[in-house]
Amino acid sequence: MGSAPQGAEASTAAVVIEDLGKHFGDVQALRNLNARIHYGRLTGLVGPDGAGKTTLMRILTGLLVPNAGRVAVAGYDVVRDNDAVHVASGYMPQRFGLYEDLSVMENMRLYARLRGMDVEHNVGLFAELLDFTRLGPFTQRLAGKLSGGMKQKLGLACALMARPRVLLLDEPAVGVDPVSRQDLWRMVQALTDEGMAVVWSTAYLDEAERCESVLLLNQGQLLFDGPPQELAAQLEGRSFRLEDVGAERRAVLTQVLDLPSVSDGVIQGAGVRVVLREGADVEPLQALADRTKVRLGAVPARFEDAFIDLLGGGPGGTSALAERMPPVELGSDVAVSCRNLTRRFGDFTATDNVSFEVQKGEVFGLLGPNGAGKSTTFKMLCGLLRPTAGEAHVVGHDLRRATGEAKSRLGYMAQKFSLYGLLSVRQNLEFSAGVYGLEGGARRERIEEMIATFDLGEWLSATPASLPLGHKQRLALACSLMHRPPVLFLDEPTSGVDPITRREFWTHINGLARKGVTIMVTTHFMDEAEYCDRVAMLSRARLIALDTPDALKRSAASPERPDPTMEDAFIHLVESGERGMEAAA
């Protein structure tokens, strides 16, 4: 049926990539790539937006034809033996094509037929996949009614339908909470233990660190190929942490990132993590620590440190957007509050008796599993959904009586932002300015400010759908900030974007917070939760925890895990909260 594997190397190499090149017009998506991907191994595919990850995935599946070089998957040439490649591989694309008006079982039966399988003679395979993905109790539920994590599990079940030898997963964990991501990891580990080759493209660098091998792409070129620990080891002695910085950590991070000797810096709870450039002296960083009266200590290097450093370092610490904004003045120290906030849809309770206050200038995180009620709570606080019970206030306005006044004082970037697809980038910016009442010179000045700040100049005549994901998110943020609101709601603003773009977003968020803007954010990136002053945890529509990131991590400490991560704390709190609710019931 096609080219068979030859020799000892071919028998262990599930994918062979030789001198691979692919261009789209003048854009060189992949350049002279050479790599081997092996059976029984989880291989991570990482890189910033536009690095070529999805292009490579589509070539491996036989959906794109390379312009140069050769690729073999399971011993079959992706061009000459295209049909055989489709049989030997399973592919879960970035936006998996589930049919949302079909049930879980109907989707699985459809994909089986598309793979040429006899549905009636594969009942045992269906049962095995449903058990493997833990979807057995949900076979009659419509795919459109599944949570994000359950949709990804159904996508994985469909990709595994023909028992492929090579499984290709293009960012399978985007928008998936840590508990569901843990399930995905469990399933993938079982597949590699059975000898399957799995390629996992990801924007989460903690995921890449768990892979046995990593291919790191940038601008179509392969910068690193090997175990992630090898890359991290190259930064030994260059990773540090400023301890117990506390309330001044945003200001300290800005100062750190403006040091020429610093390659990268991020907030970690009450501290600031810093990576020095190669060959840089630690003395300027030590002097800053002495000046701010905090302790500087060395910490082990992470894959993420090495990734950012290899790409030339992160963005600077100063937000041009925030620098142009005047300080926020509010009549009260409380910017957002809700009391006994509840929302029901028929018999289903999406938010159940939730109460909290958010202070002026605070970055407040709202975390929880998929379907916990985060977006519903956000929409009520933005005046987009009317509460079934309870009350909410934004900058002193009661959302039951003064919805219009409240909306004029807040900005909202939705989880799936509805940029107007028939309008160009410039027209979207002009529309947003008009909606918020900006006119004349102020309107023109604000639009030009957003174009410059978010690097949108070359995309002004393009439609939002044609933008790279990072630029699409920048446009969405620009539209939500057009009127310089004192309160900003960000619903998973960096979902799917690369780590450097995420840092750029957080530079703006930190700068805005320092000007007194109150920011509420939902995220599934646990390293982003570390930037928050406080975090509220929701599970099954209820508030189960509210504290600082460091306090939440301490609550998850145990003899087996004395120094838990934010992800450990998330999983611990959700599982403890669910056990408590079940006991109470």
Side-chain angles (χ1 to χ4, degrees), residues 15 46 53 80 153 185 195 281-282 291 300 339 364 381-382 410 416 440 467 528 560 562 582:
V15 178
V46 297
K53 303 187 297 295
R80 292 196 313 270
K153 291 175 190 177
W185 275 105
D281 195 331
V282 74
R291 198 163 57 248
R339 186 186 305 165
F364 188 90
L381 292 173
C382 292
L410 60 87
K416 295 184 175 71
L467 299 180
E528 289 189 345
E560 300 77 30
E582 287 166 2

Side-chain angles (χ1 to χ4, degrees), residues 60 76 78 118 126 138 162 173 247 284 294 352 360 385-386 452 517-518 548 562 575:
L60 296 182
Y76 299 105
V78 295
D118 184 338
F126 288 161
F138 310 101
V294 297
D352 188 4
K360 172 194 166 187
L385 270 180
R386 186 175 293 276
V517 177
T518 304
T548 65
E575 291 178 345

Side-chain angles (χ1 to χ4, degrees), residues 129-207:
L129 289 172
L130 288 168
D131 180 62
F132 182 62
T133 55
R134 298 178 181 172
L135 289 173
F138 310 101
T139 54
Q140 301 308 309
R141 185 175 295 184
L142 295 181
K145 300 294 185 183
L146 298 176
S147 70
M150 291 171 73
K151 283 181 180 177
Q152 296 301 77
K153 291 175 190 177
L154 177 55
L156 182 59
C158 292
L160 291 170
M161 192 62 68
R163 299 184 187 275
R165 297 170 63 193
V166 179
L167 180 63
L168 305 166
L169 306 174
D170 197 358
E171 301 202 13
V174 166
V176 174
D177 67 78
V179 175
S180 298
R181 207 160 4 130
Q182 189 173 239
D183 265 355
L184 286 173
W185 275 105
R186 172 189 60 80
M187 290 184 277
V188 167
Q189 188 63 59
L191 295 171
T192 55
D193 287 347
E194 292 173 2
M196 188 181 293
V198 180
V199 181
W200 180 303
S201 172
T202 182
Y204 295 83
L205 295 184
D206 59 329
E207 288 184 348

Side-chain angles (χ1 to χ4, degrees), residues 322-585:
E323 290 296 300
R324 295 189 183 102
M325 280 190 67
V328 169
E329 298 293 339
L330 292 182
S332 167
D333 289 337
V334 178
V336 179
S337 67
C338 59
R339 186 186 305 165
N340 307 125
L341 199 61
T342 300
R343 174 69 195 200
R344 287 187 286 271
F345 298 93
D347 295 333
F348 175 70
T349 301
T351 301
D352 188 4
N353 204 38
V354 169
S355 301
F356 56 75
E357 289 186 343
V358 184
Q359 304 298 308
K360 172 194 166 187
E362 185 174 16
V363 180
F364 188 90
L366 201 58
L367 306 187
N370 296 112
K374 303 184 300 296
S375 293
T376 300
T377 302
F378 252 45
K379 288 173 182 174
M380 285 190 284
L381 292 173
C382 292
L384 299 175
L385 270 180
R386 186 175 293 276
T388 306
E391 59 185 61
H393 293 79
V394 173
V395 289
H397 297 294
D398 187 331
L399 285 169
R400 294 172 298 182
R401 303 184 184 90
T403 304
E405 292 90 336
K407 284 182 180 177
S408 70
R409 305 298 309 279
L410 60 87
Y412 176 51
M413 182 176 166
Q415 192 173 16
K416 295 184 175 71
F417 187 76
S418 300
L419 292 167
Y420 293 92
L422 296 178
L423 302 181
S424 68
V425 167
R426 180 178 282 281
Q427 288 168 335
N428 268 278
L429 291 169
E430 289 174 345
F431 179 79
S432 295
V435 165
Y436 289 118
L438 295 173
E439 296 178 348
R443 174 174 173 153
R444 288 191 299 273
E445 180 182 327
R446 202 68 55 78
I447 290 171
E448 291 306 314
E449 177 185 313
M450 293 301 176
I451 291 169
T453 299
F454 292 102
D455 193 25
L456 297 170
E458 65 178 286
W459 303 97
L460 292 178
S461 60
T463 60
S466 65
L467 299 180
L469 179 59
H471 280 79
K472 192 180 296 184
Q473 297 295 80
R474 287 182 182 124
L475 175 59
L477 183 59
C479 289
S480 70
L481 286 168
M482 186 67 69
H483 57 308
R484 293 180 174 171
V487 177
L488 183 61
F489 290 83
L490 303 174
D491 198 358
E492 296 192 29
T494 61
S495 181
V497 303
D498 67 78
I500 291 179
T501 304
R502 287 212 307 276
R503 280 162 169 73
E504 176 193 319
F505 266 57
W506 279 95
T507 293
H508 292 309
I509 292 169
N510 289 334
L512 291 168
R514 291 181 64 199
K515 284 296 181 80
V517 177
T518 304
I519 296 154
M520 288 192 65
V521 60
T522 72
T523 181
H524 287 313
F525 289 97
M526 291 299 100
D527 58 337
E528 289 189 345
E530 299 267 18
Y531 281 88
C532 298
D533 296 297
R534 289 185 300 151
V535 167
M537 286 281 298
L538 294 180
S539 182
R540 296 188 183 180
R542 296 182 185 176
L543 184 66
I544 60 171
L546 174 57
D547 216 324
T548 65
D550 282 351
L552 294 178
K553 285 186 287 186
R554 285 194 297 271
S555 74
S558 66
E560 300 77 30
R561 189 172 276 127
D563 187 22
T565 64
M566 195 64 204
E567 181 152 328
D568 295 332
F570 181 105
I571 293 168
H572 167 77
L573 288 165
V574 169
E575 291 178 345
S576 299
E578 290 183 350
R579 284 195 298 269
M581 290 180 205
E582 287 166 2

